[in-house]
Amino acid sequence: MTTLINSTHQKFLVLGRAGMDLYPDPPGTRTQDATQMAVTLGGSAANIAVALTRHGLQAALLTRVSDDAIGRFCINQLAHYGIDAQYVTPVGGEARNSLAVVESRIEDHQSVIYRNGAADFELTLTDVEQVDFESVDAFASAGTALASEPSRSATFAAMERARAAGMPVIFDVDYRPYSWPSAAVAADVYSRASALCDIIVGNDDEFGFMAGGKHKGLAFARELAERQGRIVVYKMGEFGAITITPNGETRTGIFHVTALKPTGAGDAFMGGFLAGLTRDWPLHQAVLYGSAAAAIVVSKVGCAPAMPTSAELDDFIASHPGPTQTE
């Protein structure tokens, strides 16, 4: 089975949020004890876009940000990382950018996310209609964008337009329960979205909630790949990942590092995985590349600034005897 993404796919359109992340400084400090913070770009979609550009690929972000200093911070940071922000629209009124306060510690880790009146949920069909889908090669969306209207309808419209343009559609499940009215609503919406996507990436908890129980998640992922002819990457944390296609499945392990924090791994994985596919690598090799990227990011402060370049990732793999393909 073709991997759907190859060396012809050099520019990605990524839909989803950009926000501000605050990290108590120095690393190891609890938020409640903090006297100073490090400030970085955050948000799943923005992080994925950063990861892609770190590998020499092009990325444009489709989202809305608040028309204030925080929104302008995000736009400035996108420019800093070389991300095309022509489809990033400021929105006024009471909308506010996402804000995350994230500790750089594993023990008793706390991440506090502020999403009330989130600006990215204001994404509209008009925003999608402004996109020149013929100018990009692949489309990726983070699932959080589906949690509320009008962003939900806009995201479905973007998926449909991407499919109509003949490009691969990638879906990062990115289930955040606090953004949804109920798990049942989320499961229904994610099921509809999955039907429009060619590559679906999620962890065992995310597939489990869609299936109605974690113990049903792997069977659901297999059924999804078989029924719809999709590529599904079923991540299992420290137990690695299972990559599933209609032609079979491959298990891969992880790279062991001393983690500084538990956040950012999924976004780093997605960037490394997609970068590997653009090099025409086999699926299992691209998954290992994503796993190595995830290992690097959890060992550093921040998400966006921790995303490795291809050279850094290649050096890491060369110096860290990593997992091999397992059956």
Side-chain angles (χ1 to χ4, degrees):
M1 179 181 180
T2 177
T3 59
L4 304 175
I5 294 178
N6 53 48
S7 56
T8 65
H9 299 95
Q10 294 296 305
K11 184 168 184 178
F12 289 76
L13 176 64
V14 186
L15 185 154
R17 69 190 185 282
M20 176 185 279
D21 285 357
L22 302 174
Y23 289 85
D25 190 56
T29 302
R30 297 185 300 176
T31 300
Q32 64 204 51
D33 300 325
T35 59
Q36 58 188 14
M37 299 273 187
V39 184
T40 74
L41 176 68
S44 291
N47 289 336
I48 291 170
V50 169
L52 292 168
T53 62
R54 292 283 203 177
H55 294 292
L57 300 167
Q58 300 177 63
L61 188 66
L62 173 58
T63 192
R64 285 201 170 200
V65 296
S66 53
D67 188 13
D68 56 24
I70 307 302
R72 289 187 284 277
F73 165 85
C74 293
I75 292 174
N76 288 343
Q77 284 289 294
L78 294 174
H80 169 74
Y81 288 108
I83 297 166
D84 184 349
Q86 66 174 307
Y87 304 125
V88 177
T89 304
V91 57
E94 295 302 314
R96 293 292 182 267
N97 254 86
S98 291
L99 180 68
V101 183
V102 186
E103 294 176 347
S104 299
R105 52 187 287 130
I106 294 295
E107 185 178 356
D108 298 324
H109 172 88
Q110 292 284 304
S111 291
V112 182
I113 315 294
Y114 294 88
R115 294 280 290 155
N116 294 336
D120 54 285
F121 282 154
E122 298 300 316
L123 188 74
T124 69
L125 292 173
T126 300
D127 296 320
V128 175
E129 291 167 355
Q130 303 304 310
V131 176
D132 178 11
F133 280 84
E134 299 300 326
S135 69
V136 294
D137 304 309
F139 173 80
S141 176
T144 305
L146 294 164
S148 182
E149 293 288 4
S151 178
R152 182 182 302 165
S153 293
T155 302
F156 275 118
M159 288 178 170
E160 290 166 352
R161 288 195 62 184
R163 287 185 65 81
M167 69 182 67
V169 178
I170 305 105
F171 184 45
D172 182 352
V173 178
D174 192 33
Y175 176 52
R176 312 290 177 120
Y178 54 77
S179 293
W180 290 86
S182 71
V185 171
D188 175 68
V189 172
Y190 276 128
S191 178
R192 290 163 50 203
S194 297
L196 297 173
C197 299
D198 302 296
I199 299 175
I200 304 166
V201 179
N203 61 39
D204 44 7
D205 288 327
E206 291 168 332
F207 282 107
F209 104 82
M210 287 192 286
K214 187 171 181 176
H215 63 288
K216 302 178 182 178
L218 182 55
F220 177 81
R222 287 169 171 157
E223 179 185 352
L224 193 63
E226 180 65 31
R227 183 178 70 243
Q228 299 177 190
R230 308 295 191 244
I231 295 170
V232 177
V233 182
Y234 181 89
K235 298 184 295 182
M236 303 175 292
E238 64 179 321
F239 299 106
I242 303 175
T243 305
I244 309 165
T245 76
N247 296 332
E249 58 188 59
T250 302
R251 292 175 178 260
T252 48
I254 66 168
F255 290 82
H256 294 278
V257 296
T258 300
L260 182 64
K261 66 184 191 312
T263 56
D267 302 332
F269 176 90
M270 180 65 84
F273 172 59
L274 295 178
L277 293 183
T278 65
R279 298 181 182 185
D280 298 324
W281 289 351
L283 273 170
H284 79 273
Q285 186 177 355
V287 169
L288 285 177
Y289 207 58
S291 297
I296 290 175
V297 169
V298 298
S299 66
K300 295 183 176 182
V301 174
C303 292
M307 296 295 170
T309 64
S310 291
E312 291 169 336
L313 192 46
D314 292 340
D315 288 344
F316 173 87
I317 293 173
S319 62
H320 288 71
T324 57
Q325 179 180 351
T326 59
E327 298 301 328

